[in-house]
């Protein structure tokens, strides 16, 4: 990726020119690449997805049309994709040879939340004759606009936000198969369960899937691996109360199943501390092996090599997310590609990997890596029009020692148009999770702060992923404890090493768990002169009973919230709110079920009662914070208010 050397500081209105690339893959014959561009449409206050087909050799764009989630047929130059039809979501097929598109099957959505790692996906059969997909019954209306809602289940909430109900519709998703040629659809599974995350056997006779078929799926994350035989409808169970199993992949020779999993019986559908690992088992056996035990990192996105006994995957490591592979026999893990960047997704085609990556000063770009030749070619220039006019700031990384000697990694971004003779305010930005990871990824929030004259500090304190299981466990039963000390040590280290930082003008902000930490920090110290808490938690006791993620508190605090009320309260910012003097802006989605709006309300009322300068901004119809589907006008309002709040208290 080429660097940015010219331009002017980033402006808020520039963000509408950012395009995001996704779903890049090679055709079966290797001649074409398909990918999706997501663009902002300001006049509609919305986003729009466009599918592009590009000739690999010439780079010539052959077709562009509106749609999402494209998948090449394994045997022909046809693409299955998602788009609207007759007021509903449909799977369509586009033929590159004829240029024609045809709707194939309607897909109906259930809003029951099965976890972030659950895929409601569709996929071609290896012989190209059929497409399997996950759908609710056609009778689903998705409407909850009734005067009376009767609740009789535990997990009755769903992910709130635009065009999504606040309460689950109680429907179930099952596996369907549709013939690619004539569109005849058949329901494959039934019963009082949800199925998701499907994959085909290489002979196109079986479909692997994930399902929680425990006595009360609302109250645990005991997802297991199953398969169904299409000819008979017989279902085979492959794992037995394994823990949380997800995203299976059948080996090309049909002898093994690979899957991601955590082993704990007490897990969460949000952000578990336990890292997912790659497991493998022989078909017909219940014995499994952890292939990635030696890596000690959080594993995601698994794919078998089509000709070798190797499984590819992504994993985060010290701020980078790279592609790795592991030999299914020797269990030797090798890094394939990815350094000082964030690889968001990839597609494997023989020895060629098409992947999408970003870093701190570049938007998403598509690359083609030839594993045999060892060459890495950038195929798109998505960043150029944006970076040519905007001066984007590089973030430099460093390590520091925390209170107990633990080494912690952070990044520091200088203000745009930096003048070493001047002093500047510094904003500490905190990630969510708590087990997310900051690193080499483009973040418009940080670039916007830098463009407005702020230094930006972001840190991966204990609890972050990318540093091993022990490090990820660092916040268990201790939210806002050791990680608070890590963050403060990082601020101290940045100030001591950079004379341009004005220690009297510090701000702090974060979203979700980062918002929780923002609230927590201002109850512990007065060193920050302004705070912006986005989608934040203030009271872990009430959060444990009102959040969609009630399992998060059980997983993080080792059991039922009702057995740990005193510990939850001790970790709650609201407990010590009387100590706050920092002016605080609270930003929150009105229909946020992950961190309910009441969390911000409790903090806001307490601050107002105490006389702290504070403001509470609610975004109508929006869910949890920085989600990609937050309406552009609301997102830009949120970013604008953040900058204005810091300007009010930190600019001289």
């Amino acid at each position: 990726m080429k660097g940015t050397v010219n331009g002017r500081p980033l402006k808020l209105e520039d963000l509408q020119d950012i395009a995001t690339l996704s779903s890049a893959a090679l055709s079966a014959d290797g001649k074409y690449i398909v990918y999706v561009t997501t663009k902002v449409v300001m006049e509609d206050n919305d986003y729009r997805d466009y599918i592009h087909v590009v000739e690999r050799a010439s780079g010539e764009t052959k077709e562009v049309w509106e749609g999402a989630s494209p998948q090449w047929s394994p045997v022909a130059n046809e693409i299955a994709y998602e788009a609207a039809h007759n007021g509903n979501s449909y799977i369509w097929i586009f033929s590159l040879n004829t240029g024609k598109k045809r709707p194939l099957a309607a897909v109906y959505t259930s809003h029951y939340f099965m976890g972030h790692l659950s895929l409601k996906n569709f996929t071609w059969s290896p012989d190209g004759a059929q497409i399997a997909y996950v759908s609710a019954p056609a009778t689903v209306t998705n409407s909850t606009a009734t005067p009376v809602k009767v609740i009789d289940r535990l997990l009755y909430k769903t992910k709130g936000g635009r065009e999504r109900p606040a309460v689950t519709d109680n429907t179930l998703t099952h596996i369907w198969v549709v013939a690619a040629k004539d569109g005849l659809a058949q329901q494959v599974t039934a019963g009082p369960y949800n199925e998701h995350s499907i994959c085909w056997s290489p002979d196109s006779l079986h479909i692997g899937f994930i399902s929680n078929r425990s006595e009360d799926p609302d109250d645990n994350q005991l997802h297991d691996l199953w398969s169904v035989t299409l000819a008979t409808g017989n279902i085979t169970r492959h794992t037995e109360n394994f823990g949380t199993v997800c995203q299976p992949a059948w080996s090309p020779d049909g002898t093994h199943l690979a899957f991601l999993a955590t082993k704990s019986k007490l897990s969460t559908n949000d952000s578990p501390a336990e890292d997912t690992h790659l497991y493998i088992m022989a078909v017909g056996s219940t014995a499994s092996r952890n292939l990635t035990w030696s890596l000690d990192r959080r594993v995601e996105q698994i794919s078998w090599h089509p000709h070798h006994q190797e499984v590819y995957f992504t994993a985060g490591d010290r701020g980078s997310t790279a592609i790795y592979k592991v030999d299914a026999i020797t269990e030797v893990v090798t890094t394939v590609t990815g350094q000082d960047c964030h690889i968001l997704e990839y597609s494997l085609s023989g020895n060629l990997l098409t992947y999408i990556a970003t870093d701190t000063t570049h938007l998403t770009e598509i690359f083609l890596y030839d594993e045999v030749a060892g060459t890495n070619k950038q195929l798109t220039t998505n960043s150029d029009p944006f970076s040519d006019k905007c001066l984007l700031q590089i973030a430099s990384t460093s390590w520091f020692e925390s209170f107990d000697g633990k080494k912690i990694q952070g990044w520091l971004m200088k203000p745009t148009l930096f003048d070493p003779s001047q002093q500047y305010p510094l904003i500490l930005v905190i990630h969510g999770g708590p087990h997310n990871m900051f690193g080499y990824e483009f973040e418009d929030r940080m670039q916007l702060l830098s463009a407005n004259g702020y230094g930006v500090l972001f840190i991966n304190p204990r609890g972050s992923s990318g540093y091993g299981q022990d490090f990820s466990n660092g916040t268990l039963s201790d939210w806002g404890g050791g990680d608070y000390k890590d963050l403060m040590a990082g601020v101290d280290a940045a100030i001591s090493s950079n004379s341009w930082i004005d220690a009297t003008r510090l701000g702090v902000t974060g979203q979700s768990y980062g918002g929780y930490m923002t609230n927590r920090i201002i109850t512990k110290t007065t060193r920050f002169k302004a705070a912006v808490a986005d989608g934040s938690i203030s009271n872990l006791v009430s959060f444990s009973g009102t959040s969609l993620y009630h399992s998060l508190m059980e997983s993080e605090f080792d059991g039922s919230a009702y057995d740990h009320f005193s510990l939850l309260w001790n970790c709650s910012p609201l407990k010590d709110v009387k100590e706050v003097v920092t002016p605080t802006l609270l930003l929150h989605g009105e229909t946020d079920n992950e961190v309910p709006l009441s969390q911000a309300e409790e903090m806001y009322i307490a601050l107002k009662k105490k006389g702290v300068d504070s403001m509470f901004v609610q975004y109508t119809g929006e869910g949890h914070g920085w989600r990609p589907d937050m309406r552009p006008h609301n997102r830009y309002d949120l970013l604008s208010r953040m900058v204005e709040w810091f300007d009010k208290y930190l600019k001289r």
Side-chain angles (χ1 to χ4, degrees):
M1 296 182 181
K2 74 176 187 179
T4 302
V5 294
N6 299 310
R8 54 163 173 76
L10 176 72
K11 298 178 181 179
L12 185 63
E13 53 266 31
D14 293 323
L15 300 184
Q16 63 186 282
D17 296 328
I18 291 178
T20 303
L21 307 185
S22 61
S23 303
L26 276 173
S27 58
D29 60 11
K31 294 181 180 179
Y32 302 96
I33 293 173
V34 67
Y35 66 92
V36 172
T37 299
T38 302
K39 297 181 178 181
V40 178
V41 184
M42 289 301 293
E43 56 268 30
D44 295 337
N45 192 23
D46 209 345
Y47 305 89
R48 198 159 293 159
D49 295 325
Y50 297 94
I51 297 174
H52 302 246
V53 177
V54 177
E55 192 173 48
R56 177 184 160 197
S58 66
E60 178 187 355
T61 298
K62 306 295 289 185
E63 295 282 346
V64 179
W65 72 95
E66 198 168 339
S69 305
Q71 291 187 31
W72 286 105
S73 162
V75 298
N77 282 336
E78 292 186 331
I79 297 171
Y81 65 97
E82 293 178 332
H85 180 61
N86 292 335
N88 199 79
S89 178
Y90 256 75
I91 297 172
W92 290 65
I93 288 184
F94 165 74
S95 170
L96 186 59
N97 295 334
T98 66
K100 294 181 178 179
K101 308 175 185 71
R102 55 188 171 92
L104 189 68
V107 178
Y108 298 90
T109 301
S110 167
H111 291 286
Y112 179 79
F113 183 63
M114 292 174 283
H116 284 303
L117 295 178
S118 301
L119 305 177
K120 296 179 181 178
N121 58 325
F122 69 91
T123 179
W124 286 89
S125 60
D127 61 11
Q130 303 177 92
I131 293 175
Y133 60 100
V134 175
S135 178
T139 55
V140 173
T141 63
N142 292 335
S143 174
T144 57
T146 58
V148 177
K149 294 183 176 69
V150 179
I151 309 297
D152 63 355
R153 66 183 305 172
L154 180 62
L155 194 58
Y156 67 91
K157 287 188 175 182
T158 187
K159 291 168 67 68
R162 56 184 302 188
E163 301 176 3
R164 289 194 298 267
V167 176
T168 186
D169 46 30
N170 287 322
T171 58
L172 300 168
T173 55
H174 293 303
I175 300 171
W176 295 67
V177 170
V178 60
K181 185 176 181 179
D182 56 24
L184 292 177
Q186 174 188 1
Q187 184 173 338
V188 176
T189 58
Y193 316 105
N194 283 289
E195 292 96 30
H196 57 88
S197 307
I198 55 178
C199 68
W200 284 92
S201 63
D203 58 11
S204 300
L205 299 179
H206 313 273
I207 297 175
F209 63 92
I210 303 298
S211 183
N212 183 343
R213 302 193 171 194
S214 62
E215 185 175 346
D216 186 2
D218 285 6
D219 199 26
N220 66 74
Q221 298 300 312
L222 301 179
H223 296 254
D224 279 301
L225 172 57
W226 312 71
S227 65
V228 58
T229 302
L230 294 185
T232 64
N234 290 338
I235 291 179
T236 301
R237 184 173 191 167
H238 297 277
T239 62
E240 183 80 28
N241 294 324
F242 190 94
T244 302
V245 177
C246 54
Q247 298 179 14
W250 222 299
S251 66
D253 63 6
T255 61
H256 289 78
L257 281 159
F259 56 91
L260 294 176
T262 56
K263 296 283 286 186
S264 174
K265 301 299 188 292
L266 188 63
S267 190
T268 174
N269 52 7
D270 177 31
S271 173
E274 183 181 355
D275 290 339
T276 45
H277 277 278
L278 168 57
Y279 292 83
I280 186 176
M281 61 172 19
V283 175
S285 170
T286 58
S288 63
R289 289 186 292 131
N290 180 348
L291 297 185
T292 54
W293 60 272
S294 63
L295 185 62
D296 194 23
R297 291 295 185 268
R298 187 163 299 206
V299 174
E300 298 178 323
Q301 302 186 77
I302 61 175
S303 298
W304 287 89
H305 191 284
H307 309 301
H308 305 147
Q309 286 294 316
E310 294 173 322
V311 188
Y312 289 66
F313 60 91
T314 60
D317 177 46
R318 295 169 292 181
S320 291
T321 300
I323 300 173
Y324 300 80
K325 65 180 179 181
V326 59
D327 189 296
I329 299 172
T330 66
E331 301 179 5
V332 173
V333 176
T334 306
T335 304
V336 178
T337 187
Q339 183 178 10
D340 294 346
C341 69
H342 183 111
I343 295 178
L344 289 91
E345 56 183 79
Y346 73 96
S347 176
L348 182 61
S349 178
N351 294 311
L352 297 176
L353 287 124
T354 311
Y355 68 91
I356 294 179
T358 177
D359 64 29
T360 55
T361 57
H362 293 87
L363 310 180
T364 47
E365 299 287 6
I366 300 174
F367 296 81
L368 186 65
Y369 179 71
D370 187 326
E371 196 169 2
V372 173
T375 56
N376 214 0
K377 182 181 180 181
Q378 183 173 331
L379 302 180
T380 57
T381 55
N382 181 43
S383 297
D384 290 359
F386 181 72
S387 59
D388 284 348
K389 69 177 180 180
C390 297
L391 184 60
L392 302 177
Q393 199 67 10
I394 295 172
S396 59
T397 189
S398 62
W399 294 72
F400 60 89
E401 191 172 285
S402 193
F403 68 99
D404 57 357
K406 193 179 293 292
K407 298 294 185 181
I408 307 294
Q409 186 180 19
W411 286 261
L412 182 63
M413 184 181 290
K414 291 179 179 178
T416 307
L417 304 179
F418 175 76
D419 180 350
S421 67
Q422 301 295 317
Q423 278 201 313
Y424 297 89
L426 179 73
I427 308 296
L428 171 66
V429 181
I430 309 169
H431 70 58
H435 307 294
N436 292 356
M437 178 188 77
F438 273 144
Y440 301 97
E441 184 173 12
F442 184 84
E443 236 278 21
D444 55 9
R445 170 180 48 168
M446 296 180 187
Q447 291 291 344
L448 191 62
L449 287 169
S450 172
N452 280 274
Y454 295 99
V456 183
L457 177 65
F458 48 106
I459 296 168
N460 285 333
R462 67 194 65 202
S464 305
S465 59
Y467 302 87
Q469 191 61 66
D470 287 344
F471 196 87
S472 185
N473 290 343
T475 53
L476 294 180
S477 298
D478 188 35
W479 278 25
D483 52 346
Y484 164 77
K485 295 177 182 178
D486 292 344
L487 293 170
M488 294 306 99
V491 172
D492 291 339
I495 292 172
S496 66
S497 301
N498 297 274
S499 59
W500 58 266
I501 297 175
D502 185 346
T504 67
R505 293 188 289 159
L506 301 179
V508 59
T509 186
Q511 195 273 325
S512 194
Y513 186 85
Y516 160 82
M517 281 303 302
T518 299
N519 288 339
R520 183 82 156 148
I521 283 170
I522 61 177
T523 69
K524 288 176 167 286
T525 178
T526 60
R527 70 189 303 184
F528 294 93
K529 306 309 176 187
V532 179
D534 180 7
S536 64
I537 304 169
S538 63
N539 182 348
L540 296 185
V541 176
S542 59
F543 175 80
S544 67
T546 58
S547 171
L548 168 64
Y549 301 140
H550 46 73
S551 61
L552 178 62
M553 291 295 92
E554 297 172 348
S555 177
E556 292 287 306
F557 289 87
D558 194 28
S560 169
Y562 308 106
D563 295 325
H564 298 96
F565 276 155
S566 60
L567 178 57
L568 293 174
W569 181 241
N570 283 333
C571 292
S572 298
L574 201 63
K575 172 179 175 291
D576 298 310
V577 72
K578 62 183 180 298
E579 306 297 333
V580 178
V581 297
T582 305
T584 303
L585 172 64
L586 295 133
L587 307 167
H588 220 100
E590 185 187 47
T591 57
D592 188 346
N593 272 345
E594 295 159 79
V595 177
L597 183 70
S598 57
Q599 290 296 308
E601 288 177 315
E602 290 190 61
M603 193 71 181
Y604 173 70
I605 293 299
L607 293 175
K608 275 296 185 184
K609 288 278 190 180
K610 190 177 180 295
V612 176
D613 192 1
S614 52
M615 183 181 294
F616 180 25
V617 181
Q618 301 179 26
Y619 291 94
T620 302
E622 300 290 359
H624 191 50
W626 298 81
R627 299 291 184 218
D629 62 350
M630 187 178 190
R631 293 173 178 85
H633 293 176
N634 286 342
R635 178 164 176 74
Y636 300 155
D637 180 272
L638 180 148
L639 290 168
S640 177
R641 289 182 187 277
M642 175 190 69
V643 172
E644 290 171 0
W645 190 262
F646 285 132
D647 285 351
K648 180 178 179 180
Y649 295 100
L650 301 182
K651 290 288 183 71
R652 289 175 176 168

